[in-house]
Amino acid sequence: MMRTRPLKVALLGCGVVGSEVARIMTTHADDLAARIGAPVELAGVAVRRPSKVREGIPAELVTTDATALVKRGDIDVVVEVIGGIEPARSLITTAFEYGASVVSANKALLAQDGAALHAAAEDHDADLYYEAAVAGAIPLIRPLRESLAGDKVNRVLGIVNGTTNFILDKMDSTGAGYQEALDEATALGYAEADPTADVEGFDAAAKAAILAGIAFHTRVRLDDVYREGMTEVTAADFASAKAMGCTIKLLAICERAEDGASVTARVHPAMIPLTHPLASVRGAYNAVFVESDASGQLMFYGPGAGGAPTASAVLGDLVAVCRNRLNGATGPGESAYAALPVSGMGDVVTRYHISLDVADKPGVLAQVATVFAEHGVSIDTVRQQGKDGEASLVVVTHRASDAALSGTVEALRKLDTVRGVASIMRVEGE
């Protein structure tokens, strides 16, 4: 039997995502009510610019006083899609204090203060759901938090930013330079006017922190994530990748150490073999691989951003939270019992592709090989091309630690025969 009194929802933010949330709540009201077991009512919408016309939202629901809205006392669920740290953090904690559960898409806040927000939710017997914070419409948080709760996740590897994937895909498929590909992404609306958060890896790093925390039952903050942007990736890097049968993607990688005693989280460009499923992820799409003991390899793929896809994830959380409210229960909260240490980048072990500018004369290769051997880095392949006294030397290593590779590169720079280090890129997915 359906309850007749509606569950009241406060919406904080009515931009691209918020407006889609409001639209779906209105147009699919009957279906949502049937799935939840009670009607859902949009009780208020907090915005910064009240004069803006918002189709489908009655003017009497619009307010600029978000704090008063979450303090009303009759709100069942607060949906936060304003982003940023403040005032979002204060509004969410206030919502808990006044008896509401929260659905959020705020990756930056969750990556920085997720533990405190989970604690606040638990203190007030409320839910904190945030499927939309990572990978848009792709169901990823709930499978990690619930479906794989009985398994041991060892690695999460994926493309979690559509803007950077679009740019790198364009560079790969057309031979365009970085700036040309960025300009096209901006013109098509895939990149913001200021693309720093995307192209420098901040967005992906926040998502990596969230994923690592859930996957490894360990608190991982944004500051724990190694971050390297993709603005230095060149057409020459793609040419080198193609020579190896690879392409280049900006990857978020969360790993459990081989001995299981620690975890790492990192974001950086990497070469991956064309045979790997992530290599075929094109345009602004996202895809994430999850590797675990019992289930093996799982891949999640789909649109990772945009108003409607992200709103889909928000509404999925809204349905789950509303069901919990009706049943007088809460869903899973933070699981950080493992409390594993988060290691730095120096402990990460992977393969490397190093391109060196060297003098084109006898003995150079031997000198370079000696440096690698002295630092315990084993060479897999070497390719050398020379002309007019200058040469390019490309070295691909076997697996080595980042610390060992850093020492190797520092020593290489001191050789008289090495003119410079043109590029260093990790090789993943093998």
Side-chain angles (χ1 to χ4, degrees):
M1 181 179 296
M2 183 178 295
R3 193 182 78 165
T4 55
R5 184 176 70 80
L7 292 161
K8 295 189 176 182
V9 178
L11 178 61
L12 307 184
C14 198
V16 173
V17 176
S19 60
E20 279 295 310
V21 170
R23 182 188 67 80
I24 295 172
M25 285 185 64
T26 301
T27 58
H28 295 177
D30 291 342
D31 286 338
L32 290 173
R35 294 167 191 173
I36 292 168
V40 179
E41 175 187 316
L42 187 60
V45 181
V47 300
R48 285 185 295 182
R49 295 185 296 274
S51 60
K52 180 180 177 180
V53 177
R54 293 172 173 84
E55 187 176 347
I57 299 178
E60 62 269 20
L61 294 183
V62 177
T63 178
T64 58
D65 194 342
T67 302
L69 178 59
V70 300
K71 283 184 173 182
R72 274 179 36 172
D74 63 340
I75 300 297
D76 293 287
V77 184
V78 170
V79 175
E80 183 271 310
V81 288
I82 57 179
I85 305 302
E86 287 292 355
R89 175 170 49 198
S90 297
L91 290 170
I92 289 174
T93 54
T94 301
F96 291 142
E97 292 168 4
Y98 280 78
S101 288
V102 173
V103 173
S104 176
N106 196 329
K107 54 188 171 288
L109 178 58
L110 288 159
Q112 178 172 307
D113 288 325
L117 294 177
H118 274 294
E122 184 176 356
D123 288 344
H124 295 90
D125 295 321
D127 274 324
L128 173 61
Y129 276 48
Y130 44 90
E131 184 69 64
V134 180
I138 305 172
L140 188 56
I141 300 297
R142 196 168 294 133
L144 282 173
R145 195 159 70 165
E146 299 179 31
S147 303
L148 296 176
D151 206 344
K152 179 184 177 184
V153 176
N154 296 310
R155 194 175 197 226
V156 180
L157 166 76
I159 298 163
V160 295
N161 183 278
T163 299
T164 55
N165 198 59
F166 178 90
I167 293 170
L168 292 173
D169 181 41
K170 187 61 61 174
M171 292 175 70
D172 183 31
S173 60
T174 69
Y178 165 74
Q179 190 59 51
E180 182 183 352
L182 173 60
D183 290 343
E184 182 172 350
T186 304
L188 292 173
Y190 292 127
E192 301 287 345
D194 180 1
T196 302
D198 294 322
V199 300
E200 293 295 352
F202 290 101
D203 175 85
K207 296 170 181 176
I210 295 169
L211 292 174
I214 297 171
F216 305 133
H217 304 278
T218 293
R219 287 178 178 169
V220 180
R221 289 171 50 89
L222 181 59
D223 292 345
D224 296 320
V225 181
Y226 172 84
R227 178 193 54 79
E228 185 181 321
M230 41 77 72
T231 58
E232 301 300 319
V233 176
T234 65
D237 292 325
F238 274 101
S240 293
K242 288 182 179 180
M244 290 178 57
C246 293
T247 189
I248 299 172
K249 298 292 186 181
L250 185 76
L251 298 179
I253 305 171
C254 312
E255 292 180 308
R256 190 188 299 269
E258 290 185 5
D259 62 4
S262 64
V263 298
T264 58
R266 50 195 165 105
V267 169
H268 54 71
M271 294 182 180
I272 58 172
L274 294 175
T275 54
H276 195 284
L278 288 179
S280 62
V281 178
R282 314 304 294 266
Y285 275 72
N286 285 191
V288 177
F289 256 81
V290 177
E291 300 174 9
S292 64
D293 278 359
S295 60
Q297 289 189 335
L298 305 171
M299 182 173 173
F300 300 83
Y301 170 84
T310 306
S312 170
V314 170
L315 267 295
D317 278 351
L318 180 63
V319 168
V321 170
C322 286
R323 287 171 175 169
N324 290 343
R325 298 283 289 194
L326 287 180
N327 293 325
T330 56
E334 183 188 33
S335 175
Y337 74 90
L340 296 171
V342 183
S343 298
M345 191 63 187
D347 295 326
V348 169
V349 176
T350 188
R351 298 179 67 205
Y352 290 86
H353 175 284
I354 305 102
S355 180
L356 305 171
D357 295 326
V358 300
D360 186 16
K361 63 182 183 180
V364 173
L365 180 55
Q367 286 183 329
V368 169
T370 297
V371 170
F372 275 87
E374 289 174 346
H375 289 80
V377 179
S378 176
I379 294 175
D380 182 17
T381 62
V382 178
R383 186 174 74 252
Q384 183 173 3
Q385 294 178 323
K387 184 179 180 181
D388 299 329
E390 297 296 328
S392 172
L393 189 65
V394 176
V395 178
V396 180
T397 74
H398 288 290
R399 287 172 60 82
S401 72
D402 189 83
L405 196 281
S406 296
T408 302
V409 171
E410 185 177 347
L412 288 171
R413 295 183 192 277
K414 296 177 181 178
L415 293 178
D416 292 338
T417 51
V418 175
R419 311 299 193 210
V421 179
S423 69
I424 303 171
M425 193 164 294
R426 296 165 184 88
V427 182
E428 302 285 350
E430 295 186 316

